[in-house]
Amino acid sequence: MFTCAVILLLVISHVELRLLVHTEVGSIQGVPADDGDYVMFLGIPYARVNASNPFGASIPHEKFDKVFEAFNDSVMCPQIREIYLGGGDPYKGALDCLHLNVYVPNTETTDKAVYVYIFGGKHDHGRSQRDLYGPKYLVRHDVIVVTFNYRLGPYGFMCMDIPEIPGNQGLWDQYKAIKWVRDNIQAFGGNPQRITIGGHSSGAMTADMHLLTKQPRLFQQAILQSGSATIPGFVRPSDKTALIDIAEKIGFKTNDTYAALSFLAKADPETVIKTTAKYEYEWASCVEKEFDGVVPYIDENPELSEGINIDGLNILSGFTERECIYTLYSPSYAFLLKSEDILRSDLGFKFNLQNHSNVLDIIKHFYLGDHANGEINKYEVVDFLTDFDFVYPLQRQLIKYAKHKDTNVYQYLFSYEGHLNRMKRYYNITEPGTTHSDELGYIFTIDFLPDVPNTDDQHKIDQITTLWTNFMKYGNPTPVRTDLLPVSWPPLTADTVPCLQIDSNLTVISRPFHRNMAFWDLFYAAHLDKLSII
Ligand SMILES: *[C@@H]1O[C@H](CO)[C@@H](O)[C@H](O)[C@H]1NC(C)=O
Ligand SMILES: *[C@@H]1O[C@H](CO)[C@@H](O)[C@H](O)[C@H]1NC(C)=O
Ligand SMILES: *[C@@H]1O[C@H](CO)[C@@H](O)[C@H](O)[C@H]1NC(C)=O
Ligand SMILES: *[C@@H]1O[C@H](CO)[C@@H](O)[C@H](O)[C@H]1NC(C)=O
Ligand SMILES: *[C@@H]1O[C@H](CO)[C@@H](O)[C@H](O)[C@H]1NC(C)=O
Ligand SMILES: *[C@@H]1O[C@H](CO)[C@@H](O)[C@H](O)[C@H]1NC(C)=O
């Protein structure tokens, strides 16, 4: 009886210990997860939006003076939601949104590898909640998973060339979230020297910015899924009249940037977001202008950046087979049928060559032959977008990174088609081939996909999450051959570009898409002096 009570007491205090952590910023209480043996610390604030200038740098969050109850991850930053299931108002959000979630496996280990995941969403939508990025598949491998919100749209990515809004505020939010993790994760049982950052799509593009910034590096590894900072359109010129224009559209006419700023700082975020969405503003990162007393996050075009922080970094990165098939199902479909226009506008995001008709003709001949418009060559347009927007810039970046000292770059090609291919399932895509976002369904749970995968899909989840978490733990996705992973995935070398094809089987292939990549190698070599952003 007595022994039993002592054991019960021990068990209780043990559980309590794991739910309550004591960090540098105060004590934080979590909740047990209901879909696995791990604890969730939800909605921990890591920074604060400056109410006088919500478009500018975020400010530190004060320490907690009593236990912070990390029970609620429902806040998202102001946005028009895209993956929006159900009716009602697609706008949602609040400026008090700079929160992160920490998912900690319920195990004895005290130096767990840590994965900080950055969601994608074209800089204007996205959120960190569990219904989109559930950690169940990853935490089984004894790694801590962190997801977080960063500011989006005008609040995160307005680039005005003024010291108050130099641009890339959302990147600074991300940096602060990663720093919070570095400084506090030990209290959760994490190893601050074993941090992997990663992301998908614009999340990967921004993750790549953390490789290229001159700020001190806060992590040891990076996972870039279908995105790099060199993707066309990811970095754009600043828009010095944005504040004045948006203020005017909301009904405040002024010629003075600072008057527009004070007006918009007080305006309801819902009005600001709905207005910028209505007028189809697109938000991007920019190359910041330098100002006294303002530290830039990015001060050169990523295409030309050597990356002073890349040495010794491990990188795992890759793409799907037909990244842009989804565009045939997206709202921009009609535009796709105007193939010449899309070639021209996409090219313009990267090169000042839109008016060089001979150059456009060569690209047209390469992808479309003599066809020019319409349904007839929509798949060829998709091939162009897949190569120019994703595969080429990413592979080019990986080859560049692999030249750094002690840097291991592992490249993958995801071509497995099961029931969890996220974008294919979302749009009910019937064409063969995997598209953008498809691999995410085998890494995170998401509420519109089956939560009990079939045997084949579960096997794929086990393989992919083991590869990914091996990389987080050891810097190498296949340190040993096992029944689950009967393969050795080699990194890029000075003259080879191996790639793990993740299909029904795992196969090491070499230099994927090499013909098209060679076309773009020649193209870049000929036109690198005509980049549209310097
Ligand atoms: C908040 O923004 C205002 C306006 O730009 C600025 O004067 C103030 O210093 C900022 N606050 C902090 C704590 O940085
Ligand atoms: C979580 O926070 C949201 C937004 O602040 C609030 O509306 C909701 O009631 C909270 N949920 C719980 C369970 O406290
Ligand atoms: C803005 O400047 C122009 C030219 O200087 C002037 O004509 C106009 O009245 C000004 N508008 C406002 C709202 O001050
Ligand atoms: C291309 O031509 C258009 C129309 O003539 C012109 O407005 C634009 O500035 C030109 N773009 C470049 C990059 O030269
Ligand atoms: C996809 O198919 C499912 C099941 O038939 C349906 O509920 C859903 O609305 C479809 N989605 C789209 C975008 O067509
Ligand atoms: C996968 O590997 C097995 C065993 O080597 C082989 O029988 C099968 O044909 C392969 N499947 C594919 C799609 O390549």
Side-chain angles (χ1 to χ4, degrees):
M1 189 60 205
F2 174 75
T3 326
C4 207
V6 168
I7 289 173
L8 187 68
L9 212 80
L10 278 174
V11 169
I12 290 172
S13 61
H14 199 60
V15 169
E16 270 175 4
L17 249 179
R18 290 200 171 135
L19 289 180
L20 184 66
V21 297
H22 304 287
T23 70
E24 291 289 308
V25 295
S27 299
I28 303 172
Q29 174 112 35
V31 284
D34 54 15
D35 65 352
D37 192 13
Y38 64 100
V39 179
M40 312 188 291
F41 299 87
L42 303 174
I44 305 170
Y46 65 86
R48 208 179 250 303
V49 173
N50 182 347
S52 317
N53 177 11
F55 307 96
S58 53
I59 57 184
H61 195 277
E62 61 280 9
K63 294 186 178 190
F64 310 124
D65 51 11
K66 54 184 191 330
V67 175
F68 179 80
E69 296 186 336
F71 300 164
N72 190 336
D73 67 350
S74 73
V75 171
M76 64 188 79
C77 294
Q79 64 187 275
I80 304 286
R81 287 174 290 169
E82 186 186 62
I83 295 209
Y84 180 63
L85 308 164
D89 189 346
Y91 169 82
K92 205 163 174 189
L95 278 174
D96 180 12
C97 63
L98 300 181
H99 298 179
L100 52 80
N101 311 310
V102 183
Y103 306 109
V104 184
N106 205 7
T107 58
E108 297 294 337
T109 44
T110 54
D111 59 349
K112 295 174 171 62
V114 182
Y115 187 37
V116 186
Y117 181 77
I118 307 170
F119 63 75
K122 291 200 326 206
H123 290 110
D124 62 12
H125 65 277
R127 56 202 172 80
S128 60
Q129 281 111 330
R130 284 162 294 151
D131 60 336
L132 279 182
Y133 300 102
K136 174 169 106 169
Y137 301 148
L138 288 168
V139 290
R140 298 175 308 158
H141 300 280
D142 204 28
V143 299
I144 293 178
V145 175
V146 179
T147 62
F148 64 90
N149 293 329
Y150 54 95
R151 278 174 295 164
L152 301 162
Y155 295 106
F157 293 97
M158 188 184 280
C159 184
M160 289 285 303
D161 285 356
I162 57 174
E164 293 79 3
I165 310 177
N168 301 329
Q169 289 74 229
L171 293 181
W172 275 112
D173 290 349
Q174 296 181 357
Y175 188 80
K176 288 171 189 178
I178 301 166
K179 187 162 187 306
W180 193 99
V181 172
R182 211 266 319 258
D183 294 346
N184 292 288
I185 207 65
Q186 204 150 18
F188 295 83
N191 180 350
Q193 300 304 323
R194 250 309 163 213
I195 295 179
T196 302
I197 65 161
H200 171 258
S201 193
S202 65
M205 302 174 203
T206 52
D208 196 14
M209 292 295 239
H210 303 309
L211 271 53
L212 294 172
T213 180
K214 296 186 176 113
Q215 293 305 300
R217 203 173 84 198
L218 304 171
F219 50 87
Q220 288 69 44
Q221 278 134 207
I223 296 179
L224 310 175
Q225 294 174 211
S226 301
S228 70
T230 50
I231 300 274
F234 171 68
V235 172
R236 297 194 191 186
S238 54
D239 175 3
K240 296 188 187 96
T241 60
L243 281 171
I244 288 173
D245 293 345
I246 297 167
E248 178 170 348
K249 291 185 166 87
I250 297 179
F252 180 73
K253 258 179 109 74
T254 177
N255 280 353
D256 177 28
T257 296
Y258 288 93
L261 174 55
S262 5
F263 169 78
L264 288 173
K266 289 187 213 84
D268 181 3
E270 177 166 355
T271 310
V272 173
I273 294 289
K274 283 187 166 168
T275 303
T276 56
K278 179 177 164 197
Y279 290 96
E280 297 181 341
Y281 275 80
E282 292 190 343
W283 304 99
S285 297
C286 63
V287 178
E288 289 162 58
K289 209 172 146 187
E290 301 220 23
F291 300 99
D292 281 347
V294 179
V295 181
Y297 202 70
I298 290 292
D299 60 4
E300 61 184 332
N301 185 343
E303 187 61 54
L304 302 173
S305 172
E306 283 308 318
I308 58 166
N309 267 331
I310 311 286
D311 289 0
L313 186 71
N314 296 313
I315 299 167
L316 185 157
S317 179
F319 29 80
T320 64
E321 204 180 4
R322 298 178 87 189
E323 288 279 352
C324 289
I325 273 286
Y326 80 93
T327 52
L328 299 177
Y329 292 76
S330 73
S332 54
Y333 175 61
F335 184 54
L336 268 190
L337 301 180
K338 300 181 182 159
S339 11
E340 296 230 12
D341 293 353
I342 201 158
L343 254 52
R344 180 178 291 107
S345 68
D346 221 27
L347 187 66
F349 281 134
K350 193 93 193 197
F351 296 99
N352 274 327
L353 287 166
Q354 308 99 295
N355 295 352
H356 292 62
S357 55
N358 58 332
V359 173
L360 267 179
D361 279 347
I362 293 169
I363 300 174
K364 203 181 93 184
H365 298 159
F366 185 77
Y367 282 96
L368 314 175
D370 277 335
H371 301 309
N373 266 302
E375 280 286 330
I376 188 163
N377 54 12
K378 64 182 180 185
Y379 292 114
E380 281 90 357
V381 177
V382 164
D383 289 343
F384 163 76
L385 294 173
T386 295
D387 291 348
F388 185 71
D389 283 359
F390 288 101
V391 181
Y392 184 72
L394 177 53
Q395 198 179 83
R396 178 182 174 85
Q397 191 79 327
L398 299 182
I399 290 170
K400 194 160 144 188
Y401 286 162
K403 297 200 170 97
H404 282 257
K405 191 166 172 292
D406 301 324
T407 297
N408 291 312
V409 179
Y410 300 93
Q411 181 183 224
Y412 70 84
L413 167 62
F414 178 85
S415 56
Y416 175 77
E417 295 197 52
H419 295 89
L420 302 180
N421 289 44
R422 181 165 142 165
M423 188 82 90
K424 273 196 110 155
R425 293 291 148 190
Y426 182 67
Y427 283 123
N428 296 330
I429 295 175
T430 51
E431 277 83 359
T434 49
T435 188
H436 199 56
S437 304
D438 271 359
E439 81 282 11
L440 285 176
Y442 302 85
I443 299 173
F444 293 101
T445 58
I446 177 165
D447 67 357
F448 66 76
L449 291 173
D451 46 348
V452 185
N454 68 25
T455 316
D456 288 348
D457 292 347
Q458 185 62 52
H459 184 62
K460 209 46 60 186
I461 292 168
D462 293 343
Q463 286 187 324
I464 295 182
T465 55
T466 305
L467 289 166
W468 263 230
T469 55
N470 276 346
F471 176 75
M472 294 167 202
K473 292 174 191 172
Y474 315 114
N476 179 349
T478 51
V480 289
R481 275 175 200 260
T482 60
D483 288 345
L484 181 67
L485 301 175
V487 64
S488 174
W489 179 358
L492 274 62
T493 67
D495 37 40
T496 64
V497 182
C499 176
L500 183 74
Q501 180 159 9
I502 304 174
D503 206 312
S504 311
N505 293 339
L506 303 176
T507 320
V508 176
I509 60 170
S510 169
R511 220 176 263 279
F513 307 112
H514 57 94
R515 289 189 186 85
N516 290 17
M517 296 303 102
F519 172 84
W520 288 109
D521 272 337
L522 290 170
F523 187 95
Y524 268 60
H527 301 301
L528 210 51
D529 59 339
K530 297 177 201 78
L531 287 174
S532 45
I533 292 160
I534 296 300

